[in-house]
Amino acid sequence: MLVTIADVLKPDELAHIRGVLERTTWVDGRVTAGDQAAKVKNNLQVPIDSPAAQELGQIILSALSRNSQFMSAVLPLRVLPPMFNRYDTGMTFGAHVDGSIRSLPGSGQRLRTDVSSTLFLTPPEDYDGGELVVHDTYGTHSIKLPAGHLVVYPGTSMHSVTPVTRGSRWASFFWSQSMVRDDWQRHMLYELDNSIRSVRSRLADDDHAVVGLTAHYHNMLRHWAET
Ligand code: NI
């Protein structure tokens, strides 16, 4: 399931993040890539342990925690610290699947990358190319979102970033381990949650249908969730 989420960042958060990134140091993005991905990767990143990455990562994590659509679509158990990348003109990232297991910095705790996320930080009119292309069972999706908007997609998906032909594309990217590892189960829970929200907007919260559907949602989640 691929979900786009609008306005994850407030305008002042976006402006602050872009301001810090303008003053920070970028390094070759291959440092965090596995062997296969490193051969097709050509971009820049902010070092994961730099003060800038840590400060900006916290802003993004708190924005995610207040976003009910992200919570519903991802059902996150753990989210890795957000990272930051940049594709200047001519840079690209060929087809790859993200590594399945990553370590949480500091703790060494391992995390399974069930869901990949890209948070766009550059307005689309400021660059050409740089589309995130995600291949899933329903075909190929080409994604370029307004700054501050997020896309989440299954970590199992083959994906790439097309060459930037004008300007520079900045983004944050990160992985989540979900309480529900199976993408189809997550998809069903997300659809059910959206339907319940729609029903709740028309019926009272103590209406029999609302109570029953909400109970059903939580019993499905209880059945499938690993915490
Ligand atoms: Ni990737």
Side-chain angles (χ1 to χ4, degrees), residues 34-168:
D35 282 351
Q36 186 273 330
K39 293 197 176 71
V40 294
K41 186 174 187 181
N42 174 17
N43 68 1
L44 300 169
Q45 285 176 193
V46 178
I48 214 167
D49 51 0
S50 69
Q54 291 182 4
E55 186 221 326
L56 302 184
Q58 282 305 320
I59 295 172
I60 291 171
L61 290 176
S62 65
L64 296 175
S65 67
R66 66 174 186 248
N67 191 293
S68 59
Q69 198 184 352
F70 177 81
M71 289 294 155
S72 176
V74 177
L75 296 167
L77 176 62
R78 282 189 282 276
V79 183
L80 274 167
M83 295 163 66
F84 298 86
N85 63 15
R86 169 176 152 187
Y87 295 80
D88 290 344
T89 302
M91 293 183 175
T92 183
F93 197 165
H96 66 283
V97 167
D98 296 335
S100 50
I101 307 289
R102 299 191 83 94
S103 290
L104 277 170
S107 74
Q109 188 181 21
R110 283 189 288 253
L111 177 149
R112 190 183 59 231
T113 56
D114 295 321
V115 181
S116 299
S117 299
T118 296
L119 176 62
F120 288 77
L121 298 174
T122 305
E125 58 274 21
D126 286 5
Y127 63 101
D128 291 328
E131 285 92 0
L132 172 66
V133 178
V134 179
H135 308 265
D136 68 12
T137 45
Y138 302 109
T140 298
H141 310 269
S142 182
I143 301 135
K144 185 190 257 193
L145 299 177
H149 293 209
L150 178 75
V151 60
V152 302
Y153 56 97
T156 50
S157 313
M158 186 76 73
H159 58 280
S160 57
V161 176
T162 65
V164 170
T165 57
R166 176 185 64 90
S168 180

